Coordinates of all heavy atoms in Angstrom, one line a residue:
M27 N -9.1 1.0 1.2 CA -8.3 0.1 2.0 C -7.4 -0.7 1.1 O -7.7 -1.0 0.0 CB -9.2 -0.9 2.8 CG -9.8 -0.2 4.0 SD -10.6 -1.4 5.0 CE -12.1 -1.7 4.1
P28 N -6.2 -0.9 1.6 CA -5.3 -1.7 0.7 C -5.7 -3.1 0.5 O -6.1 -3.8 1.4 CB -3.9 -1.6 1.5 CG -4.4 -1.4 2.9 CD -5.6 -0.6 2.9
I29 N -5.6 -3.5 -0.7 CA -6.0 -4.9 -1.1 C -4.7 -5.6 -1.5 O -3.9 -5.1 -2.3 CB -7.0 -4.9 -2.2 CG1 -8.3 -4.3 -1.7 CG2 -7.3 -6.4 -2.6 CD1 -9.3 -4.2 -2.8
Y30 N -4.4 -6.7 -0.9 CA -3.3 -7.5 -1.2 C -3.7 -8.8 -1.8 O -4.7 -9.4 -1.5 CB -2.4 -7.8 0.1 CG -1.9 -6.5 0.7 CD1 -2.6 -6.0 1.8 CD2 -0.8 -5.9 0.3 CE1 -2.1 -4.8 2.4 CE2 -0.3 -4.8 0.9 CZ -1.0 -4.2 1.9 OH -0.5 -3.1 2.5
E31 N -2.9 -9.2 -2.7 CA -3.2 -10.5 -3.4 C -2.2 -11.6 -2.8 O -1.0 -11.3 -2.6 CB -2.9 -10.4 -4.9 CG -4.0 -9.6 -5.6 CD -3.8 -9.6 -7.1 OE1 -2.7 -9.8 -7.5 OE2 -4.8 -9.4 -7.8
F32 N -2.8 -12.7 -2.6 CA -2.0 -13.8 -2.1 C -2.3 -15.0 -2.9 O -3.4 -15.2 -3.4 CB -2.4 -14.1 -0.6 CG -1.9 -13.1 0.4 CD1 -2.7 -11.9 0.6 CD2 -0.7 -13.2 1.0 CE1 -2.2 -11.0 1.5 CE2 -0.2 -12.3 1.9 CZ -1.0 -11.2 2.2
K33 N -1.2 -15.8 -3.1 CA -1.3 -17.0 -3.9 C -1.2 -18.2 -3.0 O -0.3 -18.3 -2.2 CB -0.2 -16.9 -5.0 CG -0.2 -18.1 -5.9 CD 1.0 -18.0 -6.8 CE 1.1 -19.2 -7.7 NZ 2.3 -19.1 -8.6
C34 N -2.1 -19.1 -3.2 CA -2.0 -20.3 -2.5 C -0.9 -21.2 -3.0 O -0.7 -21.3 -4.2 CB -3.4 -21.1 -2.6 SG -3.4 -22.7 -1.8
V35 N -0.1 -21.7 -2.1 CA 1.1 -22.4 -2.5 C 0.7 -23.8 -2.9 O 1.5 -24.6 -3.5 CB 2.1 -22.5 -1.4 CG1 2.6 -21.1 -1.1 CG2 1.6 -23.1 -0.1
Q36 N -0.5 -24.2 -2.5 CA -0.9 -25.6 -2.9 C -1.6 -25.7 -4.2 O -1.2 -26.4 -5.1 CB -1.9 -26.1 -1.8 CG -1.2 -26.7 -0.6 CD -2.1 -27.6 0.2 OE1 -3.2 -27.8 -0.1 NE2 -1.5 -28.2 1.2
C37 N -2.6 -24.9 -4.4 CA -3.4 -25.0 -5.7 C -3.1 -23.8 -6.6 O -3.5 -23.8 -7.7 CB -4.9 -25.1 -5.4 SG -5.6 -23.6 -4.7
G38 N -2.3 -22.8 -6.1 CA -2.0 -21.7 -7.0 C -3.1 -20.7 -7.2 O -2.9 -19.8 -8.0
D39 N -4.1 -20.8 -6.5 CA -5.2 -19.9 -6.6 C -4.8 -18.5 -6.0 O -4.3 -18.4 -5.0 CB -6.5 -20.4 -5.9 CG -7.7 -19.6 -6.3 OD1 -7.7 -19.1 -7.5 OD2 -8.6 -19.5 -5.5
I40 N -5.2 -17.5 -6.8 CA -4.8 -16.1 -6.3 C -6.1 -15.5 -5.7 O -7.1 -15.4 -6.4 CB -4.2 -15.3 -7.4 CG1 -2.9 -15.8 -7.8 CG2 -4.1 -13.8 -7.0 CD1 -2.2 -15.1 -9.0
Q41 N -6.0 -15.0 -4.5 CA -7.1 -14.4 -3.9 C -6.8 -13.1 -3.2 O -5.6 -12.8 -2.9 CB -7.7 -15.3 -2.8 CG -8.2 -16.6 -3.4 CD -8.4 -17.7 -2.4 OE1 -8.8 -17.5 -1.3 NE2 -8.0 -18.9 -2.8
E42 N -7.7 -12.3 -3.0 CA -7.5 -10.9 -2.5 C -7.9 -10.8 -1.1 O -9.0 -11.4 -0.7 CB -8.3 -9.9 -3.3 CG -7.8 -9.8 -4.7 CD -8.6 -8.7 -5.5 OE1 -9.6 -8.3 -5.1 OE2 -8.1 -8.3 -6.6
F43 N -7.1 -10.2 -0.3 CA -7.4 -9.9 1.1 C -7.3 -8.5 1.4 O -6.3 -7.8 0.9 CB -6.6 -10.8 2.0 CG -6.8 -12.3 1.9 CD1 -6.1 -13.0 1.0 CD2 -7.8 -12.9 2.7 CE1 -6.3 -14.4 0.9 CE2 -8.0 -14.2 2.6 CZ -7.3 -15.0 1.7
I44 N -8.1 -7.9 2.2 CA -8.0 -6.5 2.6 C -7.3 -6.5 4.0 O -7.9 -7.1 4.9 CB -9.4 -5.9 2.7 CG1 -10.0 -5.9 1.3 CG2 -9.3 -4.5 3.2 CD1 -11.5 -5.4 1.3
L45 N -6.2 -5.9 4.0 CA -5.4 -5.8 5.2 C -5.3 -4.4 5.7 O -5.4 -3.5 4.9 CB -4.1 -6.5 5.1 CG -4.1 -8.0 4.6 CD1 -2.7 -8.5 4.5 CD2 -4.8 -8.8 5.6
G46 N -4.9 -4.3 6.9 CA -4.5 -2.9 7.4 C -5.8 -2.1 7.7 O -6.8 -2.7 8.1
A47 N -5.7 -0.8 7.6 CA -6.8 0.1 8.0 C -7.2 -0.1 9.4 O -8.4 -0.1 9.7 CB -7.9 -0.1 7.0
G48 N -6.2 -0.3 10.3 CA -6.6 -0.3 11.7 C -6.8 -1.7 12.2 O -6.8 -2.0 13.4
N49 N -7.1 -2.6 11.3 CA -7.3 -4.0 11.8 C -6.0 -4.8 11.9 O -5.1 -4.6 11.0 CB -8.3 -4.7 10.8 CG -9.6 -4.1 10.8 OD1 -10.1 -3.6 11.8 ND2 -10.3 -4.1 9.6
D50 N -5.9 -5.6 12.8 CA -4.8 -6.5 12.9 C -5.0 -7.5 11.7 O -6.1 -7.9 11.4 CB -4.7 -7.2 14.2 CG -4.3 -6.3 15.3 OD1 -3.7 -5.3 15.0 OD2 -4.7 -6.6 16.5
S51 N -3.8 -7.8 11.2 CA -3.9 -8.8 10.0 C -4.3 -10.1 10.5 O -4.8 -10.9 9.8 CB -2.5 -8.9 9.4 OG -1.5 -9.3 10.3
E52 N -4.2 -10.3 11.8 CA -4.6 -11.6 12.4 C -6.1 -11.8 12.3 O -6.6 -12.9 12.4 CB -4.1 -11.8 13.8 CG -2.6 -11.8 13.9 CD -2.2 -11.9 15.3 OE1 -3.0 -11.8 16.3 OE2 -1.0 -12.1 15.5
E53 N -6.8 -10.7 12.2 CA -8.3 -10.8 12.2 C -8.8 -11.3 10.8 O -9.9 -11.7 10.7 CB -8.9 -9.4 12.5 CG -8.6 -8.9 13.9 CD -9.3 -7.6 14.2 OE1 -10.1 -7.2 13.4 OE2 -9.0 -7.0 15.2
V54 N -7.9 -11.1 9.8 CA -8.3 -11.6 8.5 C -7.9 -13.0 8.4 O -6.8 -13.4 8.7 CB -7.6 -10.8 7.4 CG1 -7.9 -11.3 6.1 CG2 -7.9 -9.3 7.6
E55 N -8.9 -13.8 8.0 CA -8.6 -15.2 7.9 C -7.9 -15.5 6.6 O -8.5 -15.4 5.6 CB -9.9 -16.0 8.0 CG -9.7 -17.5 8.2 CD -11.0 -18.2 8.5 OE1 -12.0 -17.5 8.7 OE2 -11.0 -19.4 8.5
M56 N -6.6 -15.8 6.8 CA -5.8 -16.1 5.6 C -5.9 -17.5 5.2 O -5.1 -18.4 5.7 CB -4.4 -15.7 5.9 CG -4.2 -14.2 6.3 SD -4.5 -13.1 4.9 CE -3.2 -13.6 3.8
K57 N -6.9 -17.8 4.4 CA -7.1 -19.2 4.1 C -7.6 -19.3 2.6 O -8.3 -18.5 2.2 CB -8.1 -19.8 5.0 CG -8.3 -21.3 4.9 CD -9.3 -21.9 5.8 CE -8.9 -21.9 7.2 NZ -9.9 -22.6 8.1
C58 N -7.0 -20.2 1.9 CA -7.4 -20.4 0.6 C -8.9 -20.9 0.5 O -9.3 -21.8 1.2 CB -6.5 -21.4 -0.1 SG -7.0 -21.8 -1.8
K59 N -9.6 -20.1 -0.3 CA -11.1 -20.5 -0.4 C -11.3 -21.7 -1.3 O -12.3 -22.4 -1.2 CB -11.8 -19.3 -1.0 CG -11.8 -18.1 -0.1 CD -12.2 -16.9 -0.9 CE -12.0 -15.6 0.0 NZ -12.0 -14.4 -0.9
A60 N -10.3 -22.1 -2.0 CA -10.4 -23.2 -2.9 C -10.1 -24.5 -2.2 O -10.9 -25.5 -2.3 CB -9.5 -23.0 -4.2
C61 N -9.0 -24.5 -1.5 CA -8.6 -25.8 -1.0 C -8.4 -25.8 0.5 O -8.2 -26.8 1.2 CB -7.2 -26.3 -1.6 SG -5.8 -25.3 -1.1
G62 N -8.6 -24.6 1.1 CA -8.5 -24.5 2.6 C -7.1 -24.4 3.1 O -6.9 -24.3 4.3
C63 N -6.1 -24.4 2.3 CA -4.7 -24.3 2.7 C -4.5 -22.9 3.3 O -5.0 -21.9 2.9 CB -3.8 -24.5 1.5 SG -2.1 -24.2 1.9
E64 N -3.8 -22.9 4.4 CA -3.5 -21.6 5.1 C -2.1 -21.1 4.8 O -1.7 -20.1 5.4 CB -3.6 -21.9 6.6 CG -5.0 -22.2 7.0 CD -5.1 -22.3 8.6 OE1 -4.2 -21.9 9.2 OE2 -6.1 -22.9 9.0
T65 N -1.4 -21.7 3.9 CA -0.1 -21.2 3.5 C -0.3 -20.4 2.2 O -0.5 -21.0 1.1 CB 0.9 -22.3 3.3 OG1 0.9 -23.1 4.5 CG2 2.3 -21.8 3.0
L66 N -0.3 -19.1 2.3 CA -0.4 -18.2 1.2 C 0.8 -17.3 1.1 O 1.3 -16.9 2.1 CB -1.7 -17.3 1.3 CG -3.0 -18.1 1.5 CD1 -4.1 -17.1 1.8 CD2 -3.3 -19.0 0.4
E67 N 1.2 -17.1 -0.1 CA 2.3 -16.2 -0.3 C 1.9 -14.9 -1.0 O 1.0 -14.9 -1.8 CB 3.5 -16.8 -1.0 CG 3.1 -17.2 -2.4 CD 4.3 -17.9 -3.1 OE1 5.2 -18.3 -2.4 OE2 4.2 -18.0 -4.4
R68 N 2.5 -13.8 -0.6 CA 2.1 -12.5 -1.0 C 2.5 -12.3 -2.5 O 3.5 -12.7 -3.0 CB 2.9 -11.4 -0.2 CG 2.7 -10.0 -0.7 CD 1.5 -9.4 0.0 NE 1.4 -8.0 -0.4 CZ 2.0 -7.0 0.3 NH1 2.7 -7.3 1.4 NH2 1.9 -5.8 -0.1
V69 N 1.6 -11.8 -3.2 CA 1.8 -11.5 -4.6 C 1.7 -10.0 -4.8 O 0.7 -9.3 -4.4 CB 0.7 -12.1 -5.5 CG1 1.0 -11.8 -7.0 CG2 0.8 -13.6 -5.4
I70 N 2.8 -9.4 -5.3 CA 2.8 -8.0 -5.5 C 2.7 -7.7 -7.0 O 3.6 -7.9 -7.8 CB 4.1 -7.3 -5.0 CG1 4.2 -7.6 -3.5 CG2 4.1 -5.8 -5.3 CD1 5.5 -7.1 -2.9
S71 N 1.5 -7.4 -7.4 CA 1.3 -7.3 -8.9 C 0.6 -6.0 -9.3 O 0.8 -5.6 -10.4 CB 0.4 -8.5 -9.3 OG -0.9 -8.4 -8.7
R72 N -0.1 -5.4 -8.4 CA -0.8 -4.2 -8.9 C -0.6 -3.1 -7.9 O -0.2 -3.3 -6.8 CB -2.3 -4.5 -8.9 CG -3.0 -4.6 -7.6 CD -4.5 -4.7 -7.7 NE -4.9 -5.9 -8.4 CZ -6.1 -6.3 -8.6 NH1 -7.1 -5.5 -8.1 NH2 -6.5 -7.4 -9.1
V73 N -0.8 -1.9 -8.4 CA -0.6 -0.7 -7.6 C -1.9 -0.5 -6.8 O -3.0 -0.3 -7.4 CB -0.3 0.5 -8.4 CG1 -0.2 1.7 -7.5 CG2 1.0 0.3 -9.2
G74 N -1.9 -0.6 -5.5 CA -3.1 -0.6 -4.8 C -3.6 0.8 -4.5 O -4.7 1.2 -4.8
C75 N -2.7 1.7 -4.0 CA -3.3 2.9 -3.5 C -2.5 4.1 -4.0 O -3.1 5.2 -4.0 CB -3.2 2.9 -1.9 SG -1.5 2.8 -1.3
C76 N -1.2 4.0 -4.3 CA -0.5 5.1 -4.6 C 0.2 5.1 -6.0 O 0.7 4.1 -6.4 CB 0.7 5.3 -3.5 SG 0.1 5.1 -1.9
K77 N 0.0 6.2 -6.6 CA 0.7 6.3 -7.9 C 2.1 6.9 -7.6 O 2.3 7.9 -7.0 CB 0.0 7.3 -8.8 CG -1.4 6.7 -9.3 CD -2.0 7.7 -10.2 CE -3.4 7.2 -10.7 NZ -4.1 8.2 -11.5
T78 N 3.1 6.1 -8.1 CA 4.4 6.6 -8.0 C 5.0 6.8 -9.3 O 4.6 6.2 -10.3 CB 5.3 5.6 -7.1 OG1 5.2 4.3 -7.8 CG2 4.8 5.5 -5.7
G79 N 6.1 7.6 -9.4 CA 6.7 7.8 -10.7 C 5.9 8.6 -11.6 O 6.0 8.5 -12.8
Q80 N 5.0 9.5 -11.1 CA 4.3 10.4 -11.9 C 5.2 11.3 -12.7 O 6.2 11.8 -12.1 CB 3.3 11.2 -11.1 CG 2.0 10.4 -10.7 CD 1.1 11.3 -9.8 OE1 1.5 11.7 -8.8 NE2 -0.1 11.5 -10.3
Q81 N 4.8 11.6 -13.8 CA 5.6 12.6 -14.6 C 5.2 13.9 -14.1 O 4.1 14.3 -13.8 CB 5.3 12.5 -16.1 CG 5.9 11.2 -16.7 CD 5.7 11.3 -18.2 OE1 5.0 12.1 -18.7 NE2 6.5 10.4 -18.9
G82 N 6.3 14.7 -14.0 CA 6.1 16.1 -13.5 C 5.9 16.3 -12.0 O 5.6 17.3 -11.6
A83 N 6.1 15.2 -11.3 CA 6.0 15.3 -9.9 C 7.3 15.7 -9.3 O 8.2 14.9 -9.2 CB 5.6 14.0 -9.3
K84 N 7.4 17.0 -9.0 CA 8.6 17.5 -8.5 C 8.4 18.1 -7.1 O 7.2 18.5 -6.8 CB 9.2 18.6 -9.4 CG 9.6 18.0 -10.8 CD 10.1 19.1 -11.6 CE 10.4 18.6 -13.0 NZ 10.8 19.7 -14.0
P85 N 9.4 18.2 -6.3 CA 9.2 18.9 -5.0 C 8.8 20.3 -5.2 O 9.4 21.0 -6.1 CB 10.6 18.8 -4.4 CG 11.3 17.6 -5.0 CD 10.7 17.6 -6.4
Q86 N 7.8 20.7 -4.5 CA 7.4 22.1 -4.6 C 7.9 22.9 -3.5 O 7.7 22.6 -2.3 CB 5.8 22.2 -4.6 CG 5.2 21.5 -5.9 CD 3.7 21.7 -5.9 OE1 3.1 21.9 -4.9 NE2 3.1 21.5 -7.1
V87 N 8.6 23.9 -3.8 CA 9.2 24.8 -2.8 C 8.5 26.1 -2.8 O 8.4 26.8 -3.8 CB 10.7 25.0 -3.1 CG1 11.3 25.9 -2.0 CG2 11.4 23.7 -3.1
S88 N 7.9 26.4 -1.6 CA 7.3 27.7 -1.5 C 8.0 28.5 -0.4 O 8.2 28.0 0.7 CB 5.8 27.5 -1.1 OG 5.7 26.8 0.1
S89 N 8.4 29.7 -0.8 CA 9.2 30.5 0.1 C 8.3 31.5 0.8 O 7.3 32.0 0.2 CB 10.3 31.3 -0.7 OG 11.2 30.3 -1.2
Q90 N 8.5 31.7 2.0 CA 7.7 32.7 2.7 C 8.7 33.6 3.5 O 9.8 33.2 3.9 CB 6.8 32.0 3.7 CG 5.7 31.2 3.1 CD 5.0 30.4 4.2 OE1 5.5 30.1 5.2 NE2 3.7 30.2 3.9
T91 N 8.3 34.8 3.6 CA 9.0 35.7 4.4 C 8.5 35.7 5.8 O 7.3 36.0 6.1 CB 9.0 37.2 3.9 OG1 9.4 37.2 2.5 CG2 9.8 38.1 4.7
C92 N 9.4 35.3 6.7 CA 8.9 35.2 8.1 C 9.8 36.0 9.0 O 11.0 35.9 9.0 CB 8.8 33.7 8.6 SG 10.4 32.9 8.4
G93 N 9.2 36.8 9.8 CA 10.0 37.6 10.8 C 10.9 38.6 10.2 O 10.6 39.3 9.2
S94 N 12.1 38.7 10.8 CA 13.0 39.8 10.5 C 13.8 39.5 9.2 O 15.0 39.3 9.3 CB 13.9 40.0 11.7 OG 14.5 38.8 12.0
G95 N 13.1 39.6 8.1 CA 13.8 39.5 6.8 C 14.3 38.1 6.5 O 15.0 37.9 5.5
N96 N 14.0 37.1 7.3 CA 14.4 35.8 7.0 C 13.4 35.1 6.0 O 12.2 35.5 6.0 CB 14.5 34.9 8.3 CG 15.6 35.4 9.2 OD1 16.6 35.8 8.8 ND2 15.3 35.3 10.5
T97 N 13.9 34.2 5.3 CA 13.1 33.5 4.3 C 13.0 32.0 4.7 O 14.0 31.3 4.9 CB 13.7 33.5 2.9 OG1 13.8 34.9 2.5 CG2 12.8 32.8 1.9
C98 N 11.8 31.6 4.9 CA 11.5 30.2 5.3 C 11.1 29.5 4.0 O 10.2 30.0 3.3 CB 10.4 30.1 6.3 SG 10.9 30.8 7.9
A99 N 11.6 28.3 3.8 CA 11.3 27.5 2.6 C 10.5 26.3 3.1 O 11.0 25.6 4.0 CB 12.5 27.1 1.8
T100 N 9.4 26.1 2.5 CA 8.6 24.9 2.8 C 8.7 24.0 1.6 O 8.3 24.3 0.5 CB 7.2 25.2 3.1 OG1 7.1 26.1 4.2 CG2 6.4 23.9 3.5
I101 N 9.2 22.8 1.8 CA 9.3 21.9 0.7 C 8.3 20.8 0.8 O 8.2 20.1 1.8 CB 10.7 21.2 0.7 CG1 11.8 22.3 0.6 CG2 10.9 20.2 -0.5 CD1 13.2 21.8 0.7
D102 N 7.5 20.7 -0.2 CA 6.5 19.6 -0.2 C 7.0 18.5 -1.2 O 7.1 18.8 -2.4 CB 5.1 20.1 -0.7 CG 4.5 21.1 0.4 OD1 4.7 20.8 1.6 OD2 3.9 22.1 0.0
L103 N 7.2 17.4 -0.6 CA 7.7 16.3 -1.5 C 6.5 15.5 -2.0 O 5.6 15.2 -1.3 CB 8.6 15.4 -0.7 CG 9.9 15.9 -0.2 CD1 10.7 15.0 0.6 CD2 10.8 16.3 -1.5
P104 N 6.5 15.2 -3.3 CA 5.4 14.4 -3.8 C 5.5 13.0 -3.3 O 6.6 12.5 -3.0 CB 5.7 14.5 -5.3 CG 7.1 14.7 -5.5 CD 7.5 15.6 -4.3
G105 N 4.4 12.4 -3.3 CA 4.4 11.0 -2.8 C 3.3 10.7 -1.9 O 2.3 11.5 -1.8
P106 N 3.3 9.6 -1.3 CA 2.2 9.2 -0.4 C 2.0 10.2 0.7 O 3.0 10.7 1.3 CB 2.6 7.8 0.1 CG 3.6 7.3 -0.8 CD 4.3 8.5 -1.4
S107 N 0.8 10.5 1.0 CA 0.6 11.4 2.1 C 1.0 10.8 3.4 O 0.9 9.6 3.6 CB -0.9 11.9 2.1 OG -1.7 10.7 2.3
R108 N 1.5 11.6 4.3 CA 2.0 11.1 5.6 C 0.8 10.9 6.6 O -0.2 11.4 6.4 CB 3.0 12.1 6.1 CG 4.4 11.9 5.5 CD 5.2 13.1 5.6 NE 4.7 14.2 4.7 CZ 5.2 15.4 4.7 NH1 6.1 15.8 5.5 NH2 4.7 16.3 3.8
Ligands
ZN20 ZN1 -5.5 -23.4 -2.4

């Protein structure tokens, strides 16, 4: 599940919240555990789930012969799975 870091705007404490994965974000109580402040700002600092910019990650093209001499090309783009 994706983990997001949020920083409390009052005391600056950084805390992690698990969002998404079918749950509404409203179900997660976004509240600073240190001071109880409910104003948290998103911190984007770490790669949570997906590696991007991999070396050697190129689109893979696989050709197939389909039907009457036609060639179908299937292009698989690297990246997060759909
Ligand atoms: Zn706080």
